[in-house]
Amino acid sequence: MPKAAPVPEDLNPHHIARHQFEEAIPYVDDLKGWKGVSQWLFEPERVVKVTLPVVMDDGEVRVFRGYRVLHNTARGPGKGGIRFYPTVDEDEVKALASWMTWKCAVVDIPFGGAKGGVECDTTKLSTDEKRRITRRFVTSLGDTIGPYTDIPAPDMYTDPDTMAWIYDTYAMLHPNAENLGVVTGKPVDLGGIPGRGTATAQGSVFVAEHLLALGAVPGLSQIEDAVVSVQGFGNAGRHAAFILRDMGAKVVAVSDSKGGVFKAKGLDLEAVEAHKKETGSVVGTPGTRRIGVKGTLEVECDILIPAALENQITLENAERVSTKLVVEAANGPTTPGADRILASKGIVLAPDILANAGGVVVSYFEWVQNLEHEQWEESVVHARLRTKMYRAAEQVLTTYRRITERFPEYQARWRQFMPEAKAITHKPDMRIAAMATAVGRCKAALDRRGVWP
Ligand code: NAD
């Protein structure tokens, strides 16, 4: 009999975010009043879509689409990056905003979740064009963002310069006010905080280091001598590679949007970086073997760091992932189907809402610094980040161990509480544990606040 055609995987990030949310609900401690609250907690509070006419360098007007989603403010004002990427759309921004809500809750900082994006390809834009898009976007958003309501930060293809333009535009629109807290990830000489540039990567490394120390990863107890592969050589991936290499790991593969490079003895990262600066890509670094854009994900290693974009480890390639620990520096790199495959292979996964939360933690420090008119030393930032990331990793691991050990009890509790809902069929993983921790904290905040009026 001919083999049935495989069912295509649903790669819509918002559908994936909903799936992850629903999978975590049975493990939330307090299920009281859950039926209404779950809808309230998942749907975004506000979705703003703007049309941005921009004069390009050649004098022509081009129109871009921009989005800002405020997902949930149960625990504090919205917080989340702005990305400039050709495939940005409403569903992606909604998913990323919801992940920010859970991320801020899992590391226990007093923010809700938000995200923004502009559909554009920065590799084809001049700096002036990028600045005009940024200024028009911020102007169109108006009071949708603000230091006490919704605070942007960098994400893919936006950087401290972009944050400086956001601040400047907002400040021009709000004269005679203190505006530094409207955006984080600013340059250090414009109210930024030392250590923000490396914070996402450093946070990922702290999580990996602590999980290893706590015995969460069979067969791997330390970063020293671990073999590492990194997808993405931007803010998150590049810094992660350097930090791990400096801790004694062997980084054998890295990649960017044009492809990847591999060297079994360990890459000379300075040479890779110099080559990328010169040619625009890591591909072709002397002394390395070329691999595909997704090749880094299939390299045999101890620690795999997806640090590029969503939907990279999927049903199509998850079987070929060969690592002990996946640390999701990117948001949404692994699909639900791939999660199941990785778990069945005994691969431990530190989920995005925990593993890449270092960026938003240091953004929170920057925001506090701005509001309090303080300046923090980098050593203070580093130490406080470590405390936050270690604690969050430990709490998620504790939850994971508890819900795994008591799995049959959770199955029975769920069957009793929601007999009409789908039964839980597979054991929880670390993503479910992190989500249950975060969603439980948001629900507790809503319960305390009550429903207005
Ligand atoms: P970045 O723009 O600095 O780097 C992005 C990297 O991804 C580049 O190396 C680029 O070449 C690569 N890339 C782009 N398209 C690709 C493709 N189709 N296939 C493979 N690689 C591709 O962005 P970043 O800030 O490092 O963000 C990377 C990821 O980390 C994103 O998922 C982002 O949401 C997440 N993240 C970033 C931060 C932060 O503070 N910057 C915080 C948390 C999470």
Side-chain angles (χ1 to χ4, degrees):
M1 213 164 72
K3 234 174 140 186
V7 181
E9 195 173 14
D10 183 354
L11 298 180
N12 177 307
H14 195 234
H15 297 173
I16 291 176
R18 177 179 282 283
H19 174 91
Q20 293 168 344
F21 174 74
E22 286 174 355
E23 270 203 319
I25 296 171
Y27 302 98
V28 171
D29 284 339
D30 178 11
L31 288 174
K32 194 158 48 69
W34 186 258
K35 284 174 194 163
V37 170
S38 69
Q39 212 179 345
W40 182 16
L41 248 183
F42 185 73
E43 289 305 320
E45 288 178 16
R46 181 172 69 201
V47 179
V48 175
K49 283 188 256 185
V50 289
T51 302
L52 312 171
V54 174
V55 180
M56 307 306 280
D57 289 348
D58 62 6
E60 294 290 317
V61 174
R62 259 184 70 192
V63 174
F64 298 88
R65 243 187 305 271
Y67 306 88
R68 184 74 187 169
V69 173
L70 182 65
H71 175 254
N72 188 275
T73 54
R75 289 170 44 89
K79 185 87 192 82
I82 289 178
R83 86 170 34 171
F84 284 180
Y85 202 67
T87 55
V88 161
D89 64 18
E90 185 176 330
D91 273 359
E92 179 183 73
V93 180
K94 272 158 65 173
L96 289 161
S98 70
W99 288 329
M100 286 307 299
T101 300
W102 317 135
K103 194 179 299 182
C104 293
V106 101
V107 286
D108 197 15
I109 53 175
F111 282 135
K115 201 82 179 190
V118 177
E119 193 187 327
C120 65
D121 184 351
T122 59
T123 62
K124 298 193 177 116
L125 296 171
S126 70
T127 303
D128 278 347
E129 288 169 336
K130 196 173 159 185
R131 183 169 51 223
R132 286 197 288 273
I133 292 172
T134 308
R135 289 197 184 284
R136 182 71 197 213
F137 185 42
V138 173
T139 309
S140 299
L141 290 179
D143 284 330
T144 301
I145 59 169
Y148 298 99
T149 53
D150 180 355
I151 304 127
D155 195 77
M156 289 186 78
Y157 296 93
T158 57
D159 57 16
D161 286 342
T162 327
M163 301 306 113
W165 301 329
I166 293 176
Y167 166 67
D168 185 67
T169 308
Y170 188 86
M172 291 299 107
L173 297 170
H174 298 81
N176 309 315
E178 284 194 12
N179 296 308
L180 273 180
V182 72
V183 63
T184 59
K186 300 180 292 295
V188 175
D189 49 11
L190 186 65
I193 194 164
R196 176 60 183 88
T198 53
T200 302
Q202 184 62 68
S204 302
V205 173
F206 281 144
V207 167
E209 183 181 46
H210 206 46
L211 289 177
L212 297 186
L214 293 169
V217 185
L220 191 66
S221 59
Q222 57 177 32
I223 283 180
E224 201 177 347
D225 296 329
V227 176
V228 175
S229 179
V230 183
Q231 186 201 31
F233 205 61
N235 177 284
R238 188 172 64 85
H239 289 304
F242 275 97
I243 294 169
L244 288 165
R245 193 274 316 266
D246 292 346
M247 291 171 76
K250 187 162 74 168
V251 180
V252 296
V254 299
S255 64
D256 58 28
S257 61
K258 303 206 173 79
V261 287
F262 174 84
K263 188 174 181 182
K265 283 189 179 157
L267 293 164
D268 174 350
L269 291 178
E270 281 76 10
V272 175
E273 180 159 68
H275 188 78
K276 186 167 169 78
K277 224 174 232 158
E278 201 186 311
T279 66
S281 174
V282 299
V283 175
T285 305
T288 65
R289 176 159 70 77
R290 184 181 181 153
I291 54 177
V293 171
K294 287 186 163 186
T296 38
L297 304 170
E298 298 176 21
V299 163
E300 195 175 333
C301 59
D302 297 312
I303 303 176
L304 172 62
I305 308 193
L309 63 172
E310 298 98 76
N311 295 332
Q312 296 303 295
I313 306 178
T314 64
L315 283 182
E316 191 276 316
N317 62 357
E319 274 300 346
R320 299 193 295 278
V321 172
S322 175
T323 190
K324 297 189 175 90
L325 173 65
V326 175
V327 182
E328 292 188 324
N331 284 306
T334 316
T335 62
D339 271 344
R340 299 278 69 77
I341 295 175
L342 297 185
S344 72
K345 287 163 66 90
I347 296 172
V348 177
L349 182 142
D352 46 9
I353 61 167
L354 168 67
N356 69 40
V360 75
V361 168
V362 175
S363 273
Y364 165 60
F365 296 160
E366 179 178 332
W367 183 71
V368 172
Q369 178 191 263
N370 292 153
L371 298 189
E372 299 293 325
H373 311 111
E374 285 186 9
Q375 280 187 321
W376 296 19
E377 296 294 328
E378 186 159 4
S379 56
V380 175
V381 174
H382 189 83
R384 291 190 182 180
L385 174 63
R386 181 172 47 215
T387 303
K388 274 283 185 201
M389 300 311 294
Y390 275 15
R391 188 178 300 150
E394 207 165 315
Q395 287 171 344
V396 169
L397 183 62
T398 304
T399 303
Y400 168 71
R401 286 178 170 157
R402 173 170 47 83
I403 63 182
T404 309
E405 275 159 26
R406 293 172 41 196
F407 180 54
E409 276 174 56
Y410 281 96
Q411 280 180 304
R413 185 181 79 140
W414 184 242
R415 212 175 305 123
Q416 196 181 7
F417 179 76
M418 200 84 95
E420 70 278 16
K422 260 200 311 205
I424 326 172
T425 50
H426 57 81
K427 279 203 162 185
D429 55 18
M430 293 262 278
R431 188 186 312 284
I432 289 176
M435 283 292 292
T437 307
V439 173
R441 285 178 182 165
C442 293
K443 178 173 184 293
L446 287 182
D447 284 347
R448 290 199 160 249
R449 290 174 62 158
V451 182
W452 175 265

